[in-house]
Amino acid sequence: MDYEAARSALVSSLKGSIKDEQVIKAMLRVPRELFVPPEEKHHAYDDRPLPIGMGQTISQPYIVALMTEALELTGREKVLEIGTGSGYQTAILAELAGFVVTVERIPELARVAGDRLSALGYKNIVVQIAEPNIGWQAEAPYDAIIVTAAAPFVPEKLLNQLAVGGRMIIPVGSRYEQDLYKVIKHKDKNEIQNLGGCRFVSLIGEDAWDEE
Ligand code: SAH
């Protein structure tokens, strides 16, 4: 299979809805086929989520592009990602930001993603295994936060890790369907925009859902 050609075709199809040229270029640079299990490789450039093991999924490319665009990255930001999974979204962030802290609950996924991102040469990513307190307080505040698992509400503890002027993208809703929220933190209030419907696997923890 010609992965380069398949990647170009998929990314071209995103251009109608994704206007940020830098996001488009990053999607062209990161080889999604290296982030999926061998048996899913031929589906790597279908615009849909794919299973990555442990009951988790790699997000749909369109959703990755949409969430990344909404973070409004310029190349200098410190970004926090909750839910490393395959590491694909992490790689896209690392292409567009200064430094990425990514946190994953399942140690095996964190290990595989960390090895994969190192092998690809990324030096501006740190993969951490999730602690009971959501996020990664040690490196806070972050210019941007992206949550790639579904939350029942916007966790206050995560908002506290966001810098004033920062953006958080987070799917909020039930375990089965959510709306993608963009939360902009102002000095004295938070502004919430709804970017539309989506479906993510559950965010697990004290400030989210119980393990099923
Ligand atoms: N961004 C990923 C999508 C992974 S799916 C990708 O591009 O592949 C969501 C991930 O969030 C799962 O791997 C799941 O284990 C993880 N997760 C769920 N709750 C979490 C929490 N509280 N902290 C960190 N990771 C969590």
Side-chain angles (χ1 to χ4, degrees), residues 176-202:
Y176 310 104
E177 53 185 354
Q178 305 89 33
D179 283 313
L180 203 52
Y181 283 4
K182 174 172 181 172
V183 186
I184 306 165
K185 183 166 172 172
H186 299 293
K187 215 168 160 191
D188 40 17
K189 66 169 170 68
N190 300 312
E191 177 188 341
I192 297 189
Q193 297 168 2
N194 189 338
L195 306 182
C198 57
R199 282 193 73 166
F200 278 82
V201 296
S202 299

Side-chain angles (χ1 to χ4, degrees), residues 5-212:
R7 188 181 317 130
S8 294
L10 169 68
V11 176
S12 289
S13 77
L14 300 177
K15 282 185 185 163
S17 31
I18 305 300
K19 298 298 173 199
D20 186 333
E21 198 51 41
Q22 298 308 317
V23 174
I24 293 291
K25 283 187 188 154
M27 300 285 293
L28 282 173
R29 284 196 295 267
V30 180
R32 192 172 186 251
E33 72 274 16
L34 301 184
F35 291 82
V36 300
E39 65 276 16
E40 298 292 346
K41 271 192 191 303
H42 59 295
H43 288 306
Y45 294 102
D46 296 355
D47 193 15
R48 60 182 172 92
L50 295 170
I52 56 169
M54 321 288 287
Q56 308 304 320
T57 56
I58 177 173
S59 304
Q60 178 189 352
Y62 164 69
I63 290 286
V64 171
L66 179 72
M67 293 175 87
T68 307
E69 181 174 59
L71 291 174
E72 300 173 45
L73 301 174
T74 67
R76 291 183 296 272
E77 294 80 4
K78 179 157 62 164
V79 182
L80 172 66
E81 177 189 30
I82 312 293
T84 314
S86 68
Y88 177 71
Q89 171 77 73
T90 321
I92 298 286
L93 295 170
E95 294 278 344
L96 297 169
F99 184 64
V100 184
V101 178
T102 181
V103 186
E104 171 56 50
R105 202 184 136 256
I106 302 176
E108 175 65 6
L109 290 179
R111 188 185 61 74
V112 172
D115 289 351
R116 182 180 278 149
L117 292 164
S118 299
L120 284 168
Y122 289 102
K123 307 236 184 299
N124 58 340
I125 297 172
V126 172
V127 183
Q128 302 286 7
I129 295 170
E131 292 180 345
N133 265 329
I134 192 159
W136 199 257
Q137 181 62 49
E139 293 279 351
Y142 301 92
D143 304 300
I145 299 181
I146 178 170
V147 182
T148 63
F153 50 83
V154 180
E156 191 70 32
K157 284 181 193 157
L158 262 189
L159 265 179
N160 291 341
Q161 294 173 44
L162 187 63
V164 172
R167 284 90 41 212
M168 184 193 312
I169 311 298
I170 178 169
V172 175
S174 71
R175 281 194 100 136
Y176 310 104
E177 53 185 354
Q178 305 89 33
D179 283 313
L180 203 52
Y181 283 4
K182 174 172 181 172
V183 186
I184 306 165
K185 183 166 172 172
H186 299 293
K187 215 168 160 191
D188 40 17
K189 66 169 170 68
N190 300 312
E191 177 188 341
I192 297 189
Q193 297 168 2
N194 189 338
L195 306 182
C198 57
R199 282 193 73 166
F200 278 82
V201 296
S202 299
L203 182 71
I204 307 292
E206 281 174 10
D207 300 285
W209 303 102
D210 292 334
E211 205 166 343
E212 261 170 317

